[in-house]
Amino acid sequence: MKKAYFASGCFWGTEYYFMKASGVNHTAVGFMGGHVDNPTYEQVCQKNTGHLETTEVTYDPSETTYEDLVKLFFETHDFTQTNGQGPDIGPQYLSCIFYSNDEEKAIAEKYILILEEKGYKVATMLKPASTFWKAEDYHQQYYEHKGTTPYCHSYKKIF
């Protein structure tokens, strides 16, 4: 199993699409990229911890690829939005791929270039993965438990 980390706005919507993807064995939502250890949701919502709402994706590389996950990431949110995602505005909702090695970084850069060649102005950041802080239990698999679908994420075929 391998892990990948994606931030694309509200982590509930990001997780919704990744948990349904072929080859994904587990997802968890939490926070990455900030300067406060073990932040709470309430702290991150105050917009001063530096964290992004992030989804941790555990996948089987014999069933799917990191490249497929990157494509799904771009196809399930507005990667051109600079101030949040949909109606969720704030620094914790920015678009970012947290890469764990040079190969993941190169794949992310490849797809950003493809999107730019298609005429998109990509706002997605690339940052090295750091500590993933799991969010409170009530955030995990939120839409699965609620029985609804995301309000700020939708699938749009691009690749």
Side-chain angles (χ1 to χ4, degrees):
M1 295 296 144
K2 287 188 172 185
K3 291 186 179 185
Y5 299 93
F6 301 98
S8 61
C10 174
F11 51 28
W12 298 338
T14 306
E15 181 182 48
Y16 175 86
Y17 285 99
F18 279 108
M19 68 189 294
K20 296 176 178 328
S22 176
V24 171
N25 295 81
H26 182 71
T27 58
V29 297
F31 314 103
M32 190 175 274
H35 57 270
V36 174
D37 287 351
N38 202 25
T40 64
Y41 180 72
E42 288 75 24
Q43 287 175 307
V44 172
C45 286
Q46 292 173 9
K47 304 177 184 181
N48 58 9
T49 68
H51 291 90
L52 301 181
E53 289 196 11
T54 302
T55 300
E56 178 184 70
V57 179
T58 304
Y59 68 100
D60 184 341
S62 71
E63 295 180 26
T64 192
T65 65
Y66 184 77
E67 194 162 341
D68 286 338
L69 298 176
V70 168
K71 287 191 261 186
L72 181 62
F73 165 79
F74 283 118
E75 292 180 334
T76 55
H77 80 291
D78 180 0
F79 51 84
T80 67
Q81 189 172 344
T82 58
N83 60 348
Q85 193 57 211
D88 293 332
I89 304 303
Q92 72 272 35
Y93 299 119
L94 298 177
S95 175
C96 184
I97 296 174
F98 291 100
Y99 58 88
S100 297
N101 55 49
D102 289 342
E103 180 184 5
E104 288 181 0
K105 183 180 181 186
I107 291 168
E109 288 172 336
K110 170 186 167 183
Y111 280 91
I112 288 172
L113 182 60
I114 289 169
L115 290 168
E116 289 173 343
E117 288 171 350
K118 289 178 176 273
Y120 292 103
K121 186 173 180 185
V122 179
T124 301
M125 298 177 289
L126 297 181
K127 294 186 176 187
S130 54
T131 303
F132 175 76
W133 302 101
K134 191 173 177 184
E136 296 85 350
D137 287 345
Y138 70 93
H139 291 292
Q140 307 303 320
Q141 291 82 45
Y142 180 82
Y143 284 114
E144 188 76 13
H145 296 303
K146 193 173 178 186
T148 58
T149 57
Y151 65 91
C152 61
H153 289 79
S154 62
Y155 180 80
K156 178 185 173 188
K157 179 79 173 152
I158 299 173
F159 303 106

